[in-house]
Amino acid sequence: MEQATQDKERYAIRELREEETGLLEDFLYEAIFIPQGVCPPDRDIIQQPELRVYTEGFGRRKGDNCLVAEAGGRVVGAVWTRIMDDYGHVDDETPSFAISLYKEYRGLGLGTRLMREMLGRLRAQGYQRASLAVQKANYAVRMYEKVGFKTVDENEEEFIMVCEF
């Protein structure tokens, strides 16, 4: 119990500041699931149109929300939502999620904290649900289920998941 309290004090959750929106590109790259034994793609992959939709002009569109995890004054993770035509798109009223942590901060419960905090925020804003897409082999599937997401569709590689409020 004492360790859990120390971890909560060690990592602050806060809103992304306007001058930090460039960090979303770093976290978008970090969010790309790389299966074991596969070489990571070049960083410029995030400039592809299907990925730019996650970050381009962030903060100016409906459903744009971002929370970050901070440790020792450094942003180490982010969860963000926006209404966009992305891999997890279900309709034009449902925000889609993106989440990522730097590798050394994974497995500490930060992702779960970020997700729960963002789900609460979306509920308070009056949204009925949120969605995401996740590769079937990604270990994060269990975390998404734990915070309330259920699979509503799938393709060969991904689950489309929705959390109903």
Side-chain angles (χ1 to χ4, degrees):
M1 182 69 168
E2 188 175 311
Q3 181 63 42
T5 302
Q6 287 175 350
D7 283 345
K8 283 190 176 184
E9 291 171 3
R10 192 169 151 199
Y11 303 110
I13 306 293
R14 64 167 176 81
E15 287 188 25
L16 179 78
R17 297 180 187 119
E18 190 175 337
E19 67 272 12
E20 295 173 321
T21 57
L23 289 173
L24 293 182
E25 289 189 2
D26 291 338
F27 287 111
L28 179 60
Y29 183 75
E30 289 292 322
I32 298 168
F33 177 68
I34 315 293
Q36 190 107 20
V38 174
C39 290
D42 289 335
R43 186 169 165 71
D44 66 358
I45 193 170
I46 63 170
Q47 298 307 319
Q48 297 290 326
E50 63 271 18
L51 293 179
R52 287 180 49 193
V53 69
Y54 288 91
T55 59
E56 197 167 63
F58 190 84
R60 290 181 250 150
R61 291 179 32 190
K62 182 179 178 182
D64 282 3
N65 288 282
C66 183
L67 296 172
V68 297
E70 187 176 63
R74 175 182 178 226
V75 175
V76 298
V79 61
W80 67 103
T81 65
R82 78 181 336 182
I83 295 177
M84 60 184 153
D85 191 6
D86 70 326
Y87 298 107
H89 180 80
V90 293
D91 63 45
D92 292 341
E93 299 300 317
T94 302
S96 294
F97 264 81
I99 184 170
S100 148
L101 297 160
Y102 289 130
K103 286 178 182 57
E104 63 269 28
Y105 294 93
R106 296 176 187 167
L108 303 173
L110 277 173
T112 301
R113 281 183 61 202
L114 284 166
M115 291 293 291
R116 285 190 173 138
E117 191 86 22
M118 183 60 78
L119 288 168
R121 177 171 293 225
L122 293 174
R123 247 184 242 109
Q125 291 174 358
Y127 289 103
Q128 301 299 307
R129 66 184 156 269
S131 67
L132 58 82
V134 59
Q135 287 192 310
K136 292 178 176 180
N138 191 326
Y139 63 89
V141 170
R142 288 181 299 285
M143 186 261 294
Y144 298 142
E145 291 171 338
K146 186 170 126 181
V147 300
F149 281 84
K150 292 181 177 23
T151 300
V152 296
D153 198 4
E154 63 183 275
N155 57 42
E156 194 173 304
E157 294 180 15
E158 296 178 317
F159 293 122
I160 310 304
M161 302 182 84
V162 170
C163 180
E164 298 281 347
F165 303 144

